[in-house]
Amino acid sequence: MNKSITYIVIVNWKGWQDTLECLESLFRMNGSFKVIVCDNGSDDDSLARIREWAEGDREAKPTLSAMSAYSSPAVAKPLDWRQIDRTQAGNLSSGSCPQLLLVDCQENLGFAGGNNVGLQIALGQPDMRWAWLLNNDTVVDKSALQALVQKATDSHDTGIVGSTIRYYHHPDRVQAFGGARYFPMIGRAMHIGRIRSTYRTVDEAGIERQLDYVMGASMFVSRQFLETVGLMTEDYFLYYEEIDWALRSKHRYRMRYAQDSFVFHKSGASAGSSNWSSGRSALSDYYLVKSRLTFTRRFYPHYILSVKGYLLVEAMIRVLNGQQERASKIWSMVLNRT
């Protein structure tokens, strides 16, 4: 039996078109892996559309024609697939996970909750050595997994490994080299290498020294990491889960960066988020503020007042952008949470 299989966990929520494109790119990759798609209670027939794709009855259409080389021509179908619901996840017999496992979570469990369902299934399989948490609004290069495995195995204290995240719609630009720096006084992070050209020389070791956490769009972890640190905390629902994970593993594992693992990210398709404050959706605003306050109270309570102050400044930016209602909601969340 192959003892070095990676289980790739993808959470889908009303985004089956993106998920199909992601899956097409994954099944063209080099390496040994299986894929677990956890559907967070989608009401758009996502699971039916993914089943049709797995049987060869539906095509995955790239969002951008210029990116079609990563997802076409289509891989051979039908795939070895199976669907279960969350209540059956614990009964999946050892070694019986198919090439593609679809899991109906039956409700929206949030980012961490959906991923944790997949991680628990993966941990129940004896051939699982690594897990790769990947956003559904990504496509990957065919060598992306191999680069992650190589980085993960070159040191005994490797914790979470990040990829080179590039903008899907601007693939020559970097969203993050692995992850980000975090500034607890204001509760904000800055992606390392953001908007840089992908053609510049990269100092991997220098980037790893800066990493406070690995970006949630692509997080590669070992079985040992999961068994030692545990699954992701489900208190946030959306945002800050990966920073929480990184701090819980601090002083035991290192954050690493695999430069040659290329992941192209559509950036915020699920929640309507954006890197620019004025471009965030109302849903993204709500969870970002809620999670920032929850995280700060948990890990940096001495900075709670400065974080609240910075959030009020962000609310004023909303006012200047003509978003008075959303500014009022931020203001209310900041002032009403004790």
Side-chain angles (χ1 to χ4, degrees):
M1 179 180 290
N2 192 327
K3 298 296 184 181
S4 301
I5 288 183
T6 297
Y7 279 73
I8 303 171
V9 180
I10 298 171
V11 175
N12 177 82
W13 181 65
K14 298 196 296 186
W16 60 267
Q17 296 96 331
D18 288 331
T19 298
L20 295 190
E21 186 179 3
C22 178
L23 290 171
E24 278 287 359
S25 71
L26 287 175
F27 282 103
R28 293 157 59 84
M29 280 194 312
N30 303 318
S32 300
F33 61 90
K34 296 181 178 180
V35 181
I36 302 173
V37 175
C38 299
D39 183 73
N40 259 351
S42 301
D43 58 4
D44 64 347
D45 291 326
S46 277
L47 284 171
R49 303 291 86 80
I50 299 171
R51 290 196 303 268
E52 291 169 357
W53 171 84
E55 284 292 328
D57 297 328
R58 178 174 291 273
E59 293 184 3
K61 297 180 180 179
T63 301
L64 193 66
S65 59
M67 296 294 287
S68 62
Y70 293 96
S71 58
S72 63
V75 296
K77 314 283 193 326
L79 298 176
D80 171 28
W81 70 275
R82 180 181 171 190
Q83 180 174 324
I84 62 174
D85 62 43
R86 183 168 40 129
T87 62
Q88 300 170 301
N91 299 323
L92 191 68
S93 59
S94 177
S96 67
C97 189
Q99 189 179 20
L100 172 64
L101 180 67
L102 308 179
V103 185
D104 184 358
C105 293
Q106 301 173 315
E107 61 179 305
N108 194 342
L109 303 175
F111 178 78
N115 276 300
N116 283 346
V117 169
L119 289 173
Q120 288 171 327
I121 292 172
L123 285 168
Q125 302 302 304
D127 59 358
M128 178 269 198
R129 184 173 178 184
W130 296 287
W132 185 11
L133 277 61
L134 189 67
N135 271 22
N136 76 310
D137 61 341
T138 61
V139 297
V140 303
D141 180 76
K142 67 179 182 180
S143 299
L145 175 59
Q146 286 183 324
L148 290 168
V149 171
Q150 182 176 352
K151 177 62 68 171
T153 54
D154 73 3
S155 176
H156 72 280
D157 61 349
T158 296
I160 309 176
V161 185
S163 304
T164 297
I165 310 294
R166 296 158 67 172
Y167 288 106
Y168 177 94
H169 291 89
H170 300 281
D172 61 334
R173 294 292 171 180
V174 171
Q175 184 178 13
F177 289 140
R181 297 285 310 276
Y182 184 71
F183 303 95
M185 183 174 290
I186 60 174
R188 288 294 301 268
M190 179 179 294
H191 289 157
I192 298 171
R194 180 174 174 268
I195 311 182
R196 277 186 54 175
S197 167
T198 57
Y199 304 110
R200 295 187 181 181
T201 301
V202 174
D203 176 11
E204 281 193 0
I207 289 170
E208 289 176 357
R209 286 191 293 271
Q210 297 179 63
L211 276 176
D212 288 323
Y213 71 93
V214 167
M215 186 175 171
S218 174
M219 297 189 290
F220 189 82
V221 299
S222 67
R223 173 184 283 273
Q224 181 183 12
F225 176 91
L226 292 170
E227 291 176 343
T228 303
V229 178
L231 302 178
M232 282 193 290
T233 300
E234 299 183 18
D235 298 341
Y236 302 101
F237 193 81
L238 188 63
Y239 302 124
Y240 285 80
E241 301 93 341
E242 69 266 53
I243 316 178
D244 183 295
W245 221 6
L247 283 183
R248 284 163 50 205
S249 67
K250 197 172 183 179
H251 306 306
R252 289 184 284 180
Y253 294 97
R254 291 170 57 200
M255 302 292 107
R256 307 298 302 279
Y257 165 55
Q259 176 183 353
D260 295 327
S261 175
F262 296 122
V263 173
F264 302 88
H265 186 210
K266 296 173 186 175
S267 188
S270 296
S273 64
S274 166
N275 288 314
W276 301 103
S277 295
S278 61
R280 291 191 178 277
S281 70
L283 180 67
S284 178
D285 258 359
Y286 171 78
Y287 284 116
L288 191 63
V289 173
K290 179 178 180 292
S291 296
R292 192 184 302 182
L293 293 171
T294 299
F295 176 82
T296 300
R297 289 190 178 92
R298 176 167 295 167
F299 291 100
Y300 299 103
H302 49 292
Y303 284 137
I304 190 64
L305 291 180
S306 62
V307 169
K308 284 186 172 185
Y310 193 82
L311 282 167
L312 294 178
V313 170
E314 290 192 342
M316 290 303 300
I317 293 174
R318 297 293 191 280
V319 172
L320 294 175
N321 286 321
Q323 300 173 326
Q324 287 84 355
E325 183 177 351
R326 286 168 60 179
S328 177
K329 289 181 179 179
I330 295 174
W331 187 279
S332 177
M333 291 178 69
V334 170
L335 298 183
N336 290 343
R337 290 178 64 88
T338 59

